[in-house]
Amino acid sequence: MLKSSRLVLALCALCFAMNARGQSGTKNGEWHNYGGDLGSTRYAPLDQINADNFGKMEIAWRFKTDSLGPRPEFKFESTPLMAHGVLYSTGGTRRAVVAMDAATGELLWVHREDEGMRGTYAPRQLSGHGVAYWTDGREERILYVTPGYRLIALNAKTGMPVTGFGKNGVVDLKQDDDQEIDLITGEVGLHSTPVVAKDVVIVGAAHLTGSDPKSRKNVKGYVRGFDVRTGKRLWIFHTIPRPGEYGADTWEKDSLTYTGNTGVWAQMSVDEDLGLVYLPVELPTGDYYGGDRPGKGLFGESIVAVDLQTGKRKWHYQLVHHGIWDMDIPCAPILTDIALNGRTVKALAQPTKQGFLYVFNRETGEPIWPIEERPVPKGDVPGEWYSPTQPFPTKPPAFDNQGVSIESLIDFTPELRAEAVKLASRYRIGPIFSPPTVSKADGTLGTITSPGSTGGANWPGGSYDPETHKLYVYSQSAIAVLGMIPTPGPQFSDMEYVQGTAGKEPRNSTPMGAPPAPRAPGAAAEGGEGGATLSVNGLPLLKPPYGRITAYDMDKGEIAWQVAHGETPDNVRNHAALKGLTIPRTGQPGLVGVLTTKTLVIAGEPMFTTTASNGRGAMLRAYDKATGKEVGAVFMPAPQSGSPMTYMLNGQQYIVVAISGPGFAGELVAFRLRSIS
């Protein structure tokens, strides 16, 4: 009897341990979610492609997107999905949806929407980050958000709109949003994919970049849940609280009534067992001036956990109080189950632009390791409201450079260091959270911050290995120059100050009410544009590495390894001032997503580089996930611009990645082994 009781207890403990692993990566060799699974682990337990043969892969097929719109797209950021042998993706400047044979790349069907002027005015254009997939075991649907902010449900087998969803397959996201939004010019859209969990479709909101907004008033970025079968709105979460709601008291002088943005433009994650959706929220209008929105401003730059079925807030944590640095939470929270003091803890790890990895108990919102409120400098911009403190995680260590000092400036040669010091002397430098500065032609031109608005981490996010409890994230040591100037005039903006440099016209010089200016080929589609960049004789102002991959041991809250990711850029490698010097690999700056498999961490280079006999292109690289040692690389004709994914089909493993760049229109490229031994 005693032995039997012990057996029952052991089995219960085993069941608990199995249930505690809420995220296990992809299943059955397929890829059903943007992040691999709903926990955004970007992990696939596949190992046919490994350290021994990665460099022997060949291109299985290529799918060009040139004709999926009126003009080619040069910033193709999709991560495709694969289910039942079919690959699904968005592509092209009209954000068409395509279905392809996952073995051959053959086009099976295409769906397109011509939204006319509504599409022209869309703040988030191009093909975005992909689609969502849903099935109940009988029916399959593909869901996506158009540039004009319409949620569309398609039959996964035919590409035809699902007539019973919304109105003939369409839910107009500019309606039923608890605010008035102009159906043509209303400035709201989305690049990210919807998230589908337990028959609920969750949709966020995005806006134009906010460095020099035309108005302190803007559309509010509310988050909504819809019934996946009917398109009926189930709930709405007000990311800017309404009067009387939780958090309303953090907005002073009635600023919550007119302030906009505060959307969730990044991917979201879901724990179906807990019934929680995790929202990574951006900051309110505008990115660098908050004088019109005094107070800490919940839920700006907060992680918010809401009930999957009702949208009710369960917990939140604000990572930046009253943001004035464009430190939007840029990517999906990664759901991790870690071992802590002998027990399994359901955790959430959030990579950020500021280079911190914030880690919480995802059931309660309590930090896994202490997060301290520390004093930060106060700025000099008239009318601004400054938070006296900001949250600093004590563990794990930051994954990229933070702040700017003389020591962090380029030092390849004494001459370059001297030039860098001279350049920096015209600006304010200091630790992370150094505030923007009033730009004066005869004085300080602005504040140099690092990471800037596009780095450390950005929209590609990271990946997590649920077997070893290691988390991987790519980051770049970007800088931004944050100078503030008085608004040139009421025709430009009704805000008192906008981002700019004294004596120069602000970038956003289009009249109020005009459609967004067309994006230049290769320009950033997401994640901010924090002012001019600085260089020293054409070289980056900061010391390398310019791009790196960091591996964290999440059980310990420590860095396991770091490597510079990407070959040294041509402009550095071939620079006349560095002739004869041995420069270790610097890595490349950019926006890169990482993929983790049974043995490898995989990521492509974000820049064109001369690659010996292959000519100009980029490399897809693989690292031993335990040590960070590079174990293989294959040539791509253009840089990685979307995050890679992998799947098994007919006994073969494929790795698919979106590539594009200046002068090179978007493609999906699929790799596989030449032969299976």
Side-chain angles (χ1 to χ4, degrees), residues 379-427:
D380 64 353
V381 179
E384 184 60 88
W385 189 98
Y386 294 98
S387 175
T389 64
Q390 294 293 345
F392 285 76
T394 57
K395 288 180 73 173
F399 54 81
D400 211 306
N401 176 73
Q402 291 181 319
V404 179
S405 65
I406 297 299
E407 176 58 28
S408 65
L409 302 181
I410 186 174
D411 64 350
F412 289 136
T413 68
E415 293 78 14
L416 289 171
R417 167 57 69 86
E419 191 67 27
V421 171
K422 180 180 178 182
L423 176 63
S425 69
R426 295 296 314 277
Y427 298 85

Side-chain angles (χ1 to χ4, degrees), residues 84-276:
H84 305 303
V86 180
L87 205 70
Y88 302 96
S89 179
T90 51
T93 48
R94 207 181 291 283
R95 197 174 297 178
V97 179
V98 294
M100 295 163 282
D101 185 309
T104 65
E106 178 186 0
L107 180 66
L108 302 178
W109 57 254
V110 60
H111 175 88
R112 63 183 287 276
E113 295 281 329
D114 186 347
E115 298 183 292
M117 290 303 296
R118 180 165 174 158
T120 300
Y121 275 88
R124 295 296 184 181
Q125 299 186 9
L126 305 181
S127 63
H129 295 165
V131 301
Y133 171 82
W134 170 85
T135 183
D136 60 1
R138 299 182 301 275
E139 184 183 355
E140 295 176 274
R141 293 183 181 182
I142 296 298
L143 300 106
Y144 82 110
V145 176
T146 68
Y149 205 45
R150 295 153 70 232
L151 174 63
I152 296 183
L154 304 173
N155 182 306
K157 290 182 171 59
T158 66
M160 299 297 294
V162 178
T163 55
F165 182 88
K167 294 182 179 179
N168 297 318
V170 179
V171 171
D172 191 332
L173 295 171
K174 290 187 178 181
Q175 296 181 335
D176 200 15
D177 195 36
D178 290 5
Q179 59 185 318
E180 292 295 324
I181 303 175
D182 188 284
L183 297 184
I184 303 299
T185 63
E187 194 217 280
V188 62
L190 192 66
H191 263 134
S192 296
T193 76
V195 176
V196 187
K198 290 192 173 179
D199 297 343
V200 180
V201 185
I202 308 106
V203 179
H207 308 79
L208 288 173
T209 54
S211 60
D212 38 20
K214 294 173 179 149
S215 178
R216 72 192 71 179
K217 303 176 183 179
N218 200 9
V219 177
K220 301 177 191 296
Y222 296 151
V223 179
R224 284 167 288 174
F226 299 89
D227 186 297
V228 74
R229 289 184 168 87
T230 66
K232 176 185 176 182
R233 192 186 100 173
L234 300 175
W235 54 261
I236 186 168
F237 179 76
H238 300 132
T239 52
I240 296 178
R242 293 183 143 193
E245 291 183 340
Y246 184 97
D249 59 344
T250 65
W251 297 79
E252 299 178 8
K253 297 184 179 179
D254 207 32
S255 57
L256 60 78
T257 62
Y258 57 78
T259 303
N261 296 76
T262 322
V264 177
W265 58 256
Q267 293 293 145
M268 294 174 271
S269 300
V270 179
D271 187 321
E272 287 188 309
D273 293 336
L274 296 177
L276 294 178

Side-chain angles (χ1 to χ4, degrees), residues 448-461:
I448 305 175
T449 65
S450 178
S453 61
T454 57
N458 210 281
W459 61 262

Side-chain angles (χ1 to χ4, degrees), residues 313-565:
R313 183 192 69 89
K314 294 299 183 180
W315 62 261
H316 77 277
Y317 203 101
Q318 189 172 52
L319 306 188
V320 182
H321 308 314
H322 187 84
I324 48 176
W325 299 272
D326 190 12
M327 290 178 178
D328 300 339
I329 303 179
C331 55
I334 303 173
L335 306 191
T336 67
D337 296 328
I338 62 177
L340 194 67
N341 299 324
R343 62 190 179 94
T344 297
V345 176
K346 292 178 178 290
L348 175 154
Q350 181 64 66
T352 60
K353 290 184 180 182
Q354 50 266 46
F356 283 129
L357 185 72
Y358 298 81
V359 187
F360 303 94
N361 181 312
R362 68 175 182 268
E363 295 183 87
T364 66
E366 291 296 317
I368 295 296
W369 297 284
I371 297 177
E372 299 176 348
E373 290 287 338
R374 298 176 185 172
V376 293
K378 184 177 180 179
D380 64 353
V381 179
E384 184 60 88
W385 189 98
Y386 294 98
S387 175
T389 64
Q390 294 293 345
F392 285 76
T394 57
K395 288 180 73 173
F399 54 81
D400 211 306
N401 176 73
Q402 291 181 319
V404 179
S405 65
I406 297 299
E407 176 58 28
S408 65
L409 302 181
I410 186 174
D411 64 350
F412 289 136
T413 68
E415 293 78 14
L416 289 171
R417 167 57 69 86
E419 191 67 27
V421 171
K422 180 180 178 182
L423 176 63
S425 69
R426 295 296 314 277
Y427 298 85
R428 175 179 180 170
I429 61 175
I432 190 172
F433 295 119
S434 293
T437 303
V438 175
S439 183
K440 300 177 181 178
D442 58 350
T444 301
L445 293 176
T447 299
I448 305 175
T449 65
S450 178
S453 61
T454 57
N458 210 281
W459 61 262
S463 64
Y464 173 72
D465 183 345
E467 297 184 9
T468 64
H469 295 187
K470 297 292 194 301
L471 184 146
Y472 306 92
V473 61
Y474 165 88
S475 61
Q476 62 172 335
S477 298
I479 66 168
V481 178
L482 302 185
M484 305 302 296
I485 59 174
T487 300
Q491 78 286 353
F492 181 83
S493 176
D494 62 13
M495 300 187 78
E496 290 83 356
Y497 280 82
V498 293
Q499 194 275 326
T501 303
K504 295 183 179 180
E505 181 78 5
R507 290 178 297 113
N508 181 11
S509 57
T510 56
M512 286 189 186
R519 194 181 305 278
E526 198 83 86
E529 303 174 24
T533 57
L534 300 176
S535 63
V536 180
N537 294 337
L539 295 169
L541 179 65
L542 298 184
K543 293 190 291 189
Y546 308 131
R548 70 190 84 191
I549 294 175
T550 301
Y552 282 106
D553 182 326
M554 294 304 296
D555 293 339
K556 299 178 179 178
E558 298 175 354
I559 291 176
W561 53 259
Q562 272 187 331
V563 295
H565 174 61

Side-chain angles (χ1 to χ4, degrees), residues 61-77:
W61 52 261
R62 295 167 66 173
F63 182 86
K64 297 180 179 293
T65 67
D66 303 48
S67 300
L68 298 177
R71 63 187 188 280
E73 177 183 27
F74 298 94
K75 194 66 173 173
F76 181 33
E77 297 177 342

